[in-house]
Amino acid sequence: MRKMDRCPHPNCYADDNTTCTLGHIRLEMCPEWQRVSKVDEAAPSYAEQMLLPWSGFAMGQSDQNFISGKVKPITVAIVGPESAGKTTILGAFYLLLGQGALTTYSHAFSNSYTLAGWEAVAICLRWKPGQPPRFPPHTPSGAARAPGMLHLGFRREDGSLRDFLFADAPGEWFQKWAINELADDAEGARWIARHADITLLIADRQALAGTKMGAARNDFQLLAQRAMAGARGRRLALVWTKGDVDVAPAMEAQIRKAVASGSSNVPEFTVSVYPRGKVDAAEGFGELFNWILGTKRSGVDLPSTDGFGHDPLFRFGRR
């Protein structure tokens, strides 16, 4: 199949490496792609394929309807500059969850519609004989209008299901958004600011201790100001990445001051893929993950009522 610039379907963004909106695992089986693409005539007809509302890859903006139909999922945004460790956090979450290191008594892993997407993120962190682990590649910015969304579902103690969507977005979006909120190439960052229930604001300790620490500090302060304004009171945490790197106390104080200017009770977490003294590498990721799972979406607190009889239609009977 030849490379295309855009899928002809108005609500499909499969060309941004997300799910086919018609549910086709192989794009060459999709009739919309067949309209404008050269496909192998010997390939089986798309009508013979089993269609699913997901492909296993990261979801796009229009792929989330079947998840949101039951209840709106919790959307988690990881906001930070490029190479700050955002994708590494996602990969570590997935690998530790698979090892049972992130299991909690209140939330048990139930399902994921994006296992292939999680694998694509985490594969670099897996150890293979003769090949040491390495960090995930840089997330490309491209021209996407929304980030790739990675899904995790959990079952709570009361038996109810809870869905989380983690946004995997390139740092260039946030850097451009921090400078100019209305920049044409910052649409992805604006989408995240509108939809995120949780914002993880990333402070890259390696950059803040390097030769360009002054520029890194200024960039963080600008991004923190924009992120806190975009959060509009929703949950936000300061996450120090590459926690094994030492940062000058004065620099740490300036970073905390930049966050405290918007809110006085922003929690802090430190994560690293390397052990820090006696602190196991999984511990920092576990603390952050448990904080995310503890999110409660604000809603209407309806008073309890007394039922009349056994028919739920008459639950609200006259008094």
Side-chain angles (χ1 to χ4, degrees):
M1 180 175 61
R2 64 182 177 127
K3 187 179 185 301
M4 295 176 49
D5 292 328
R6 187 67 55 193
C7 174
H9 193 286
N11 296 319
C12 185
Y13 306 105
D15 43 279
D16 289 335
N17 295 319
T18 59
T19 310
C20 170
T21 193
L22 298 182
H24 294 278
I25 304 300
R26 296 174 56 188
L27 293 182
E28 62 267 27
M29 298 292 101
C30 175
E32 294 292 333
W33 281 76
Q34 288 181 354
R35 283 170 46 197
V36 292
S37 300
K38 295 180 180 179
V39 297
D40 185 0
E41 295 180 356
S45 168
Y46 69 89
E48 301 173 1
Q49 306 300 308
M50 180 177 66
L51 303 184
L52 298 171
W54 73 92
S55 67
F57 296 106
M59 294 181 174
Q61 186 173 355
S62 64
D63 304 317
Q64 305 162 30
N65 294 335
F66 73 97
I67 295 180
S68 304
K70 177 182 59 178
V71 63
K72 186 177 183 295
I74 302 289
T75 300
V76 182
I78 306 179
V79 176
E82 61 178 300
S83 303
K86 300 184 298 299
T87 304
T88 299
I89 290 177
L90 293 174
F93 280 168
Y94 176 71
L95 293 178
L96 292 172
L97 187 64
Q99 297 171 8
L102 298 184
T103 301
T104 67
Y105 69 91
S106 61
H107 288 75
F109 173 74
S110 173
N111 66 91
S112 175
Y113 294 112
T114 59
L115 287 176
W118 282 110
E119 283 290 335
V121 166
I123 190 171
C124 291
L125 294 176
R126 292 188 186 277
W127 179 85
K128 296 180 180 179
Q131 177 180 318
R134 60 193 189 280
F135 293 103
H138 174 68
T139 303
S141 56
R145 296 153 298 282
M149 308 299 290
L150 298 171
H151 169 259
L152 289 176
F154 294 88
R155 188 173 295 279
R156 294 187 284 188
E157 287 182 292
D158 59 4
S160 62
L161 293 174
R162 200 176 197 197
D163 294 301
F164 289 80
L165 292 174
F166 294 80
D168 185 18
E172 290 93 339
W173 287 2
F174 300 117
Q175 290 168 305
K176 294 170 182 176
W177 177 61
I179 297 172
N180 180 6
E181 183 179 9
L182 302 178
D184 293 338
D185 46 4
E187 173 58 29
R190 289 194 295 272
W191 188 95
I192 289 175
R194 289 193 303 269
H195 294 88
D197 300 289
I198 301 172
T199 299
L200 307 182
L201 183 58
I202 303 301
D204 182 353
R205 295 181 68 88
Q206 187 175 52
L208 294 169
T211 57
K212 298 181 179 179
M213 64 177 71
R217 177 203 58 210
N218 294 338
D219 290 345
F220 176 87
Q221 291 171 334
L222 189 60
L223 182 57
Q225 182 180 9
R226 187 77 72 196
M228 289 185 291
R232 296 182 177 88
R234 291 167 288 183
R235 296 193 98 192
L236 183 144
L238 171 62
V239 180
W240 300 88
T241 56
K242 307 169 189 176
D244 54 295
V245 178
D246 292 328
V247 175
M251 178 65 78
E252 288 188 350
Q254 291 183 54
I255 296 302
R256 292 190 177 98
K257 182 178 179 181
V259 177
S261 63
S263 177
S264 58
N265 67 347
V266 175
E268 285 187 33
F269 300 92
T270 301
V271 297
S272 173
V273 296
Y274 301 106
R276 293 175 288 122
K278 297 182 179 180
V279 179
D280 184 72
E283 185 174 330
F285 290 104
E287 292 177 354
L288 176 59
F289 195 75
N290 287 333
W291 180 81
I292 293 172
L293 291 183
T295 298
K296 295 181 180 179
R297 179 177 286 111
S298 58
V300 179
D301 186 14
L302 296 176
S304 60
T305 60
D306 296 327
F308 294 87
H310 299 288
D311 193 335
L313 292 177
F314 294 95
R315 178 82 177 159
F316 298 93
R318 67 176 182 271
R319 299 215 174 243

